[in-house]
């Protein structure tokens, strides 16, 4: 039976030593989002900090160096300094589930370099068993999905057309997700790890 495509970004599931991902994350500030940012998106370091010293982040492109995976969108009235703020807290979906394009806000990022993530292969190329160990890039709009003000699920996925031994690709395929509804083939769910990471890669250029 062919796989069912359910693109939902990159989801941290465990660490390289086999221990489960337990939800740990650090807070980052998005000053002006390059595009809508959602849970399970890949983000990069922004190169500055907010007034409280919290580092900035933004959506990571295919050639950028990742810092981690978004695991939470903080409420729009969140203040890291603990001050009272005026205005209304946004609770409605989709606004509460994303940082809008060109918008600002705080996000929680799983930024440990050793996490393993589950992500779906884009239909641009079919993954095979011999691809395990190869490096790949990611796409922020897998299977031609788009990001809009109404998007609530990350449309990011593994760009399987890029699979190669190339050392500068951001991810490495470490296996296929072992589930009854997942088989090797089109739209397969893959386990990937960071091949490049802002906090680990040797000789990574600063932002």
């Amino acid at each position: 039976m062919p796989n069912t495509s359910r693109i939902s970004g990159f989801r941290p599931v465990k660490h390289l030593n086999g221990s489960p991902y337990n939800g740990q994350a650090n807070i980052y500030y998005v000053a002006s989002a390059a595009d809508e940012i959602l849970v399970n998106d890949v983000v990069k370091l922004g190169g500055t900090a907010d007034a409280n010293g919290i580092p900035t982040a933004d959506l990571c492109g295919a050639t950028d160096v990742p810092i981690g995976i978004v695991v939470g969108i903080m409420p729009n009235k969140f203040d890291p300094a603990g001050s009272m703020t005026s205005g209304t807290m946004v609770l409605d979906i989709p606004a509460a589930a994303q940082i809008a394009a060109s918008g600002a806000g705080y996000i929680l990022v799983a930024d440990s370099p050793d996490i393993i993530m589950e992500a779906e292969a884009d239909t641009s190329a079919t993954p095979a068993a011999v691809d395990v160990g190869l490096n790949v890039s990611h796409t922020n709009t897998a299977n031609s999905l788009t990001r809009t003000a109404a998007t609530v699920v990350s449309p990011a996925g593994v760009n399987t057309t890029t699979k190669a031994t190339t050392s500068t690709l951001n991810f490495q395929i470490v296996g296929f997700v072992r589930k009854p509804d997942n088989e090797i083939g089109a739209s397969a769910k893959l386990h990937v790890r960071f091949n490049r990471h802002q906090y680990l890669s040797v000789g990574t250029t600063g932002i």
Side-chain angles (χ1 to χ4, degrees), residues 23-24 71 74:
Q24 287 186 320
V71 294
M74 298 300 289

Side-chain angles (χ1 to χ4, degrees), residues 65-66 113 167 170 194-205:
V65 180
S167 62
N170 283 343
F194 288 114
N195 181 55
R196 292 203 303 164
H197 191 284
Q198 192 67 49
Y199 291 160
L200 182 65
S201 302
V202 176
T204 301
T205 303

Side-chain angles (χ1 to χ4, degrees), residues 35-118:
D35 209 335
E36 284 82 10
I37 295 178
L38 302 114
V39 169
N40 293 348
D41 271 338
V42 185
V43 289
K44 64 179 180 179
L45 198 62
T48 186
D50 73 352
N52 300 289
I54 294 173
T56 57
D58 202 353
L59 192 65
C60 182
T63 60
D64 298 324
V65 180
I67 193 65
I69 306 298
V70 179
V71 294
I73 306 293
M74 298 300 289
N76 68 302
K77 303 309 294 181
F78 170 76
D79 188 332
S83 302
M84 296 292 290
T85 58
S86 60
T88 303
M89 180 179 290
V90 175
L91 299 175
D92 295 333
I93 301 296
Q98 62 173 233
I99 302 292
S102 300
Y106 292 91
I107 56 177
L108 293 173
V109 178
D111 56 5
S112 176
D114 75 332
I115 57 174
I116 291 178
M117 300 141 278
E118 178 180 319

